[in-house]
Amino acid sequence: MATSEVTALVLAAGKGTRMKSAVTKVMHSMAGKPLIGHVLTTLDGLPFTKIGIVVGHGREQVEGYLAKVGQPHLESKAWEIVLQEEQLGTGHAVLQALPQIPAGCTVMIVSGDQPLLTQETLGELLSVHRSSGAAATVLTAYMDDPRGLGRIVRGEEKVMSENRFRSVSSIARIVEEKDADDAVRGIKEINTGTYCFEGDVLREALAHIRPDNAQKEYYLTDVCGYLTESNMLVTGYRMRDAQEAMGINDHCQLAVAEEFFYDKIRRYWMREGVKMVCPKTILIDADVRLEADVTLYPNTWLQGDTLIKKGARIGPQTTITSCRCGEDCVVSYSVAEEAVVGEGCLVGPFSRLRKGCILEARAHIGNFVEIKNTTIGYESKANHLTYIGDAVVGKHVNVGAGTITCNYDGIHKHQTVIGDDAFIGSNANLVAPVSVGTRAVIGAGSTVTKDVPAGALAVERADQRVINNWETKK
């Protein structure tokens, strides 16, 4: 007897020859996340008790990604790796996973290279499958140009009751284009490669399919054929948006899918209250989070695990990767990576914030300033032509143009500490490890190699020589 348990299988063992890449197909990136990452995110929101991932070619890449991201949301679920040592077709891939499929459960099978599938579509597929009482339900799509795709040949219609689906049309067979006659080629309903099966029926059917084809492979579509021949109901659910069914087989298809995905993300965030100036030039990756009243300007790219809080203005021509940007901050013509930009901060134009930067509220980082692994305190400023690395800068500090923290001795990195209310004159070199005390002043052009006490003035310059009549003597 069927249980309420549902297992998902993700087929991710294929090489993806047409990608012409050392990167296995499902690990190619779309909007900042591997293709298989998008699929797993979609499955995570559905009522699966287990997720199996069938790997083969490039398994190290897939397993490395899974180990890195972990299972942050699967509170009642677990994913298991299934190895398909030889890639002998989709049916063979599922056959390898049978030991991990509990008896009596429902199984949903999806491809790891279909990143556009949504929770809504897969949820409806599962609901239709359960309501129809079918042995198998195929997710189908209507394509104006179905060339190269397997066609769905429908059978009789079965009237249903006790649910909202009034009737369901059975599938007589799934025909690959190379095996189709003219009449079947005229059908525009196609097989997407996503299915729901009753697990025990799937187990029985897989024992009967054979690689009797030109490719000598075990096809999952043959399972549907076996079930139909055995007088079991195989039905289909036609998805609303055929674009979701797009599989990625080469870089052209990847580019089309990514453009579709980015457009979908932009529309979502604009409906959530984000203003975008020239939206088509703005890229927002899958894991980015935005609050209402954020404004994004042209040619801005938000990547990774980035959070932009309300009132912030980002861009134009700005790339932000895995950063936290506080309320009402402004970042323009700049690049930031794994940094924290506090409330009301001003960054840019032409600034670079590298990993480990923390800008506390109302800090100013200006043109051609680079900061790395540094905390800049409240209302402190570094507005021009400056490098600050491995430093702690207090509040209300002014760092003059051309200042450098000399943090690297060729072997180790050393820290610079600048106290509150200090003033660093232009073109100063702070040779770490060194500290500048509270309210201390560094004279312009000084190279500081020793600690400067609080309230002191440090000036380090050679005596100026003036040679009169130099033009004549030269």
Side-chain angles (χ1 to χ4, degrees), residues 324 338-348 351-366 369-384 386-400 403-405 415-422 424 430:
R324 300 290 182 269
E338 297 186 43
V340 176
V341 179
E343 178 181 346
C345 286
L346 300 180
V347 178
S351 302
R352 184 185 181 195
L353 306 182
R354 292 168 59 188
K355 183 177 181 179
C357 290
I358 300 174
L359 307 185
E360 295 182 357
R362 302 179 65 81
H364 291 193
I365 304 299
V369 175
E370 179 178 351
I371 302 179
K372 185 215 74 167
N373 191 31
T374 290
T375 297
I376 304 292
Y378 177 77
E379 288 190 343
S380 290
K381 300 177 181 179
N383 280 330
H384 322 280
T386 292
Y387 170 72
I388 306 176
D390 300 295
V392 177
V393 179
K395 62 185 179 181
H396 302 122
V397 172
N398 184 86
V399 179
T403 295
I404 296 172
T405 59
Q415 189 178 59
T416 299
V417 178
I418 302 175
D420 296 345
D421 300 296
I424 312 299
L430 306 179

Side-chain angles (χ1 to χ4, degrees), residues 86-163:
E86 291 185 272
Q87 281 70 68
L88 299 177
T90 50
H92 180 260
V94 176
L95 194 62
Q96 311 313 301
L98 285 182
Q100 280 73 43
I101 298 176
C105 76
T106 299
V107 183
M108 180 181 288
I109 298 173
V110 300
S111 298
D113 66 350
Q114 289 183 297
L116 301 181
L117 287 171
T118 64
Q119 290 181 6
E120 181 182 15
T121 295
L122 295 184
E124 289 173 350
L125 171 66
L126 181 60
S127 182
V128 168
H129 174 75
R130 285 176 157 175
S131 299
S132 68
T137 304
V138 183
L139 181 65
T140 74
Y142 186 90
M143 296 279 190
D144 289 330
D145 183 3
R147 284 178 296 180
L149 301 172
R151 308 302 206 280
I152 299 295
V153 179
R154 291 278 185 170
E156 65 182 9
E157 185 172 273
K158 179 181 177 182
V159 177
M160 304 299 299
S161 60
E162 300 178 0
N163 60 74

Side-chain angles (χ1 to χ4, degrees), residues 88 92 208-219 222:
L88 299 177
H92 180 260
H208 289 84
I209 65 171
R210 297 290 180 267
D212 299 329
N213 51 69
Q215 304 299 321
K216 301 299 180 183
E217 292 184 349
Y218 296 85
Y219 292 142
D222 290 346

Side-chain angles (χ1 to χ4, degrees), residues 160-472:
M160 304 299 299
S161 60
E162 300 178 0
N163 60 74
R164 64 189 180 90
F165 303 102
R166 287 190 164 186
S167 63
V168 60
S169 177
S170 66
I171 291 177
R173 54 201 173 108
I174 302 172
V175 184
E176 299 301 324
E177 185 168 272
K178 62 184 178 181
D179 300 320
D181 56 26
D182 290 342
V184 172
R185 287 194 182 96
I187 296 173
K188 294 188 175 182
E189 187 178 16
I190 60 96
N191 174 27
T192 68
T194 297
Y195 313 84
C196 277
F197 291 97
E198 289 309 303
D200 294 341
V201 170
L202 175 63
R203 195 183 308 273
E204 175 190 343
L206 284 170
H208 289 84
I209 65 171
R210 297 290 180 267
D212 299 329
N213 51 69
Q215 304 299 321
K216 301 299 180 183
E217 292 184 349
Y218 296 85
Y219 292 142
L220 200 53
T221 50
D222 290 346
V223 168
C224 297
Y226 170 82
L227 296 178
T228 299
E229 292 171 2
S230 302
N231 294 318
M232 298 187 205
L233 177 62
V234 177
T235 188
Y237 170 67
R238 194 167 85 186
M239 63 200 314
R240 293 182 177 89
D241 186 352
Q243 192 79 29
E244 288 184 34
M246 184 178 183
I248 309 300
N249 294 300
D250 58 35
H251 286 285
C252 294
Q253 291 178 332
L254 178 59
V256 171
E258 192 166 47
E259 184 176 0
F260 176 86
F261 192 80
Y262 275 133
D263 186 61
K264 183 178 178 180
I265 290 176
R266 287 190 293 263
R267 291 176 183 276
Y268 171 81
W269 286 118
M270 285 189 283
R271 292 188 181 106
E272 292 295 309
V274 174
K275 179 181 179 180
M276 299 185 196
V277 180
C278 199
K280 288 186 178 181
T281 69
I282 296 169
L283 301 180
I284 304 170
D285 281 358
D287 291 332
V288 171
R289 291 162 291 155
L290 305 171
E291 293 187 356
D293 294 319
V294 166
T295 300
L296 303 179
Y297 293 99
N299 300 310
T300 290
W301 191 357
L302 306 180
Q303 301 176 321
D305 180 23
T306 290
L307 169 63
I308 312 292
K309 305 208 76 173
K310 66 181 181 180
R313 291 176 286 159
I314 310 297
Q317 296 183 6
T318 294
T319 300
I320 294 180
T321 304
S322 297
C323 292
R324 300 290 182 269
C325 296
E327 293 182 11
D328 301 314
C329 72
V330 176
V331 184
S332 62
Y333 296 98
S334 296
V335 175
E337 178 182 2
E338 297 186 43
V340 176
V341 179
E343 178 181 346
C345 286
L346 300 180
V347 178
F350 313 118
S351 302
R352 184 185 181 195
L353 306 182
R354 292 168 59 188
K355 183 177 181 179
C357 290
I358 300 174
L359 307 185
E360 295 182 357
R362 302 179 65 81
H364 291 193
I365 304 299
N367 51 286
F368 305 106
V369 175
E370 179 178 351
I371 302 179
K372 185 215 74 167
N373 191 31
T374 290
T375 297
I376 304 292
Y378 177 77
E379 288 190 343
S380 290
K381 300 177 181 179
N383 280 330
H384 322 280
L385 302 159
T386 292
Y387 170 72
I388 306 176
D390 300 295
V392 177
V393 179
K395 62 185 179 181
H396 302 122
V397 172
N398 184 86
V399 179
T403 295
I404 296 172
T405 59
C406 307
N407 57 322
Y408 184 48
D409 63 8
I411 300 175
H412 302 293
K413 300 290 179 70
H414 301 280
Q415 189 178 59
T416 299
V417 178
I418 302 175
D420 296 345
D421 300 296
F423 183 93
I424 312 299
S426 297
N427 203 34
N429 300 310
L430 306 179
V431 183
V434 70
S435 64
V436 178
T438 302
R439 299 182 306 281
V441 176
I442 307 298
S446 297
T447 297
V448 177
T449 59
K450 299 178 181 179
D451 292 348
V452 180
L457 168 65
V459 180
E460 190 278 329
R461 298 176 188 153
D463 290 338
Q464 180 174 310
R465 292 182 63 198
V466 178
I467 302 175
N468 294 320
N469 302 316
W470 173 250
E471 182 67 21
T472 301

